Amino acid sequence: MPQHDIFKHEKDILQQAQKIATNAQHKNNPLLLTYIQLTMEYRRLYLNSKALVKMSDRQQNKLLKTNEILESANQTKSTFLANMSHELRTPLNAILGYSEMLMEDDKTECYNDIDKIHTSGTHLLSLVNNLLDLSKIESGHAE
């Protein structure tokens, strides 16, 4: 029996029960009154459960869409981190290489400044490498 037929059938039963309940000659029949009360309570619970199922389906669909959006955002973040890390590493490696060459050739007063550049660059490269490692781990490409 299709769903809408079941609904119509229950509606008919409820209407009949309400007519019987309003009929003066059946008001003193406790069994009939109990049956009518149970029928009405069943109907109320049935409608509430139907509404909850609808709400649950909508919530589940919302959660699935939100999850897809979050997964896409996370992938975009990981890709961005990986690309930015590589973009930062290239010039940092050049700065570090050049500062090492200058430190080997120049033992004069500029040596301390060049050493500071090299130390800061090494620290920054370490941070960038950590970011790159983290983005690889998050994207599942860890070595």
Side-chain angles (χ1 to χ4, degrees):
M1 183 180 284
Q3 187 71 24
H4 66 287
D5 289 343
I6 293 171
F7 181 77
K8 186 176 186 296
H9 178 69
E10 290 173 353
K11 188 176 178 183
D12 292 341
I13 291 172
L14 185 59
Q15 285 174 347
Q16 287 174 356
Q18 286 172 338
K19 283 179 187 177
I20 292 169
T22 57
N23 189 338
Q25 64 183 355
H26 296 291
K27 282 190 178 176
N28 294 329
N29 185 337
L31 186 58
L32 184 59
L33 288 174
T34 302
Y35 171 76
I36 292 168
Q37 288 171 345
L38 288 174
T39 302
M40 292 169 71
E41 182 64 16
Y42 166 77
R43 183 71 186 140
R44 186 185 66 76
L45 291 173
Y46 173 76
L47 291 174
N48 284 343
S49 68
K50 238 180 144 173
L52 285 174
V53 167
K54 263 188 180 176
M55 284 176 29
S56 177
D57 288 345
R58 277 186 257 141
Q59 290 296 79
Q60 185 177 7
N61 288 337
K62 281 183 183 179
L63 286 174
L64 288 173
K65 287 178 185 175
T66 301
N67 191 40
E68 288 173 7
I69 291 168
L70 290 174
E71 285 178 1
S72 175
N74 190 45
Q75 183 60 40
T76 301
K77 177 199 64 150
S78 295
T79 302
F80 172 78
L81 282 174
N83 290 339
M84 283 308 298
S85 295
H86 286 294
E87 291 298 319
L88 290 171
R89 283 170 114 192
T90 302
L92 272 172
N93 282 324
I95 291 169
L96 291 174
Y98 189 63
S99 66
E100 286 174 2
M101 285 177 21
L102 288 174
M103 286 176 18
E104 288 174 5
D105 292 343
D106 191 3
K107 301 290 183 190
T108 62
E109 60 195 51
C110 293
Y111 182 84
N112 288 337
D113 293 331
I114 295 170
D115 185 51
K116 288 177 187 175
I117 291 170
H118 187 268
T119 302
S120 296
T122 303
H123 178 69
L124 189 55
L125 183 60
S126 172
L127 293 174
V128 169
N129 285 335
N130 289 340
L131 275 175
L132 181 60
D133 291 343
L134 180 63
S135 69
K136 284 181 180 178
I137 289 169
E138 284 182 347
S139 66
H141 295 97
E143 297 172 6

